[in-house]
Amino acid sequence: MVGSGNSGIDPELVISHKFPESLHTYTERDAAIYALGVGACTKDAIDDKELKYVYHQDGQEFIQVLPTFSTLFTVGIPSQMEQLPGLLFDPRLLLHGQQYIEVYKPLPSHGCILNKTSIAGLHDKGKAAVLEVEIVSYEKESGERLCMNRLSIYLRGAGGFSKSSQPYSYSSNRSNQSAFPKIPKSQPFAVYEECTHASQALLYRLSGDYNPLHSDPKFAESAGFSRPILHGLCTLGFAVRTIIKCICGGDQNTIKSVSGRFLLHVYPGETLITEMWLEGLRVIYQVKVKERNRAVLFGFVDLDRLSSSL
Ligand SMILES: CCCCCCC[C@@H](O)CC(=O)SCCNC(=O)CCNC(=O)[C@H](O)C(C)(C)COP(=O)(O)OP(=O)(O)OC[C@H]1O[C@@H](n2cnc3c(N)ncnc32)[C@H](O)[C@@H]1OP(=O)(O)O
């Protein structure tokens, strides 16, 4: 094994791994269940900006799809990681660290997706290892590129696989994808408050992330939490849906890219307060949990145009 630490990670073996291409098929029902999982229509079942995600509103032929639905194209990653040569880690200690999404065209309401997956980064943080995985997704039939997801997975306890004087760090990341903006000191352009349900993670998991961290009290306890926590991508889904509602005039197709770093876990049932600042075509956002007054997620969303309603 390469590296001088006592962790079960062989970095050269990990970064040279080639994933096979994979297929992901979904239907309108999956897109609607996802939308409900990230809170669409929770406050108002006839919300005129959100009913289209779950119902054929006004006779529309297809339901509309939230751009963050594309994160589900990556649900196979955790199980692929467990079989990845050179990567030994305790799955109970895995946390979602960051997510970056680029959307190249509106997501169809159903389809078959071809995923090309690669290792995009690996970092030794001493107490943890951070693994970055990139998935580029294509519509199988047309071959058209639909979106790209890059996720950072924070593996607690898996660091220390390289010399602490020169910690291992590899990334194929472009700088615009990893640089997080500072939260402005000015008053936010918009603030939106929304409660998650006590059963939010139980609903969200039906979209395909069945990690017991979000449903099993004993597993959650062994991972260091007093009870099951919310999926990071559920919180991100709430945040981006809020931005579409408050800044994009309800038009989900103005979203070009999304970036988010998970700062702290969220317990289902907690209230999310999303603060948004508009800087040109960039929305900087921060999500806080009201009950604990703590920031849990921050990042930015880049738009391709501003809503005429602003
Ligand atoms: C659908 C497919 C999805 C597949 C994967 C996901 C599966 C899911 O089921 C799992 C989940 O959803 S878990 C729930 C969502 N995530 C969370 O709740 C994590 C919240 N964040 C934390 O707890 C801490 O920030 C924590 C613990 C992450 C870090 O806190 P600390 O240990 O205090 O770290 P710190 O000392 O501040 O920094 C150490 C080094 O690590 C880097 N870092 C910190 N936070 C990071 C993060 N969120 N992501 C990536 N890197 C991060 C720091 O920069 C630092 O590095 P350096 O010293 O080089 O600056």
Side-chain angles (χ1 to χ4, degrees):
M1 172 176 294
V2 178
S4 63
N6 52 9
S7 151
I9 293 186
D10 180 337
E12 298 307 328
L13 201 52
V14 172
I15 68 163
S16 60
H17 183 71
K18 301 275 175 274
F19 291 95
E21 291 182 356
S22 63
L23 293 177
H24 178 92
T25 303
Y26 68 92
T27 65
E28 280 207 332
R29 189 166 183 275
D30 297 315
I33 288 173
Y34 171 80
L36 293 171
V38 298
C41 291
T42 300
K43 264 190 173 176
D44 177 4
I46 55 167
D47 186 316
D48 64 351
K49 291 196 177 88
E50 296 194 340
L51 194 53
K52 62 184 178 181
Y53 301 129
V54 295
Y55 179 67
H56 294 220
Q57 193 180 358
D58 297 330
Q60 69 186 19
E61 194 179 351
F62 301 110
I63 65 159
Q64 306 289 303
V65 183
L66 285 159
T68 47
F69 179 73
S70 70
T71 57
L72 296 184
F73 302 165
T74 70
V75 286
I77 296 299
S79 59
Q80 284 177 303
M81 276 175 59
E82 286 184 37
Q83 282 145 34
L84 209 146
L87 187 74
L88 264 184
F89 65 96
D90 183 343
R92 291 171 308 173
L93 302 182
L94 176 155
L95 289 172
H96 201 155
Q98 293 179 185
Q99 184 81 20
Y100 177 75
I101 312 165
E102 284 180 0
V103 188
Y104 307 120
K105 56 178 282 203
L107 301 175
S109 65
H110 59 278
C112 182
I113 305 300
L114 174 75
N115 285 324
K116 295 186 183 178
T117 305
S118 57
I119 299 291
L122 179 65
H123 312 273
D124 187 350
K125 300 293 185 188
K127 60 182 173 179
V130 175
L131 180 74
E132 295 177 73
V133 183
E134 183 174 298
I135 303 101
V136 185
S137 303
Y138 302 80
E139 243 177 324
K140 183 166 181 285
E141 204 171 289
S142 65
E144 270 190 272
R145 200 173 58 144
L146 266 184
C147 57
M148 183 272 268
N149 275 273
R150 184 190 288 257
L151 46 149
S152 297
I153 296 165
Y154 193 91
L155 302 169
R156 291 175 289 164
F161 56 86
S162 57
K163 288 198 187 99
S164 56
S165 55
Q166 215 182 345
Y168 184 90
S169 184
Y170 159 78
S171 178
S172 65
N173 212 338
R174 295 199 303 273
S175 57
N176 67 327
Q177 298 171 352
S178 57
F180 280 94
K182 284 215 161 61
I183 297 296
K185 297 231 179 326
S186 56
Q187 285 296 313
F189 177 82
V191 180
Y192 191 76
E193 181 174 319
E194 196 165 30
C195 295
T196 62
H197 274 291
S199 57
Q200 201 70 50
L202 298 177
L203 172 60
Y204 181 84
R205 73 191 281 276
L206 301 181
S207 284
D209 182 349
Y210 297 110
N211 185 344
L213 178 61
H214 311 295
S215 50
D216 188 313
K218 288 206 174 82
F219 186 97
E221 204 177 308
S222 68
F225 299 101
S226 59
R227 56 196 162 102
I229 64 171
L230 197 58
H231 303 71
L233 289 178
C234 180
T235 311
L236 185 72
F238 265 81
V240 175
R241 185 178 54 72
T242 296
I243 290 167
I244 294 169
K245 185 198 260 297
C246 298
I247 300 208
C248 307
D251 183 356
Q252 74 284 358
N253 295 331
T254 58
I255 305 281
K256 257 176 51 180
S257 64
V258 173
S259 181
R261 178 182 264 220
F262 302 107
L263 301 170
L264 189 70
H265 58 281
V266 174
Y267 289 114
E270 288 186 313
T271 309
L272 302 178
I273 299 178
T274 305
E275 298 170 321
M276 296 155 265
W277 293 262
L278 188 58
E279 293 191 349
L281 287 174
R282 173 163 286 191
V283 182
I284 299 172
Y285 69 92
Q286 170 171 257
V287 181
K288 285 182 181 158
V289 158
K290 188 176 183 182
E291 290 76 2
R292 288 179 283 152
N293 192 26
R294 298 282 302 273
V296 292
L297 165 66
F298 86 112
F300 63 85
V301 169
D302 283 337
L303 311 175
D304 72 358
R305 59 186 182 279
L306 287 182
S307 162
S308 54
S309 61
L310 284 181

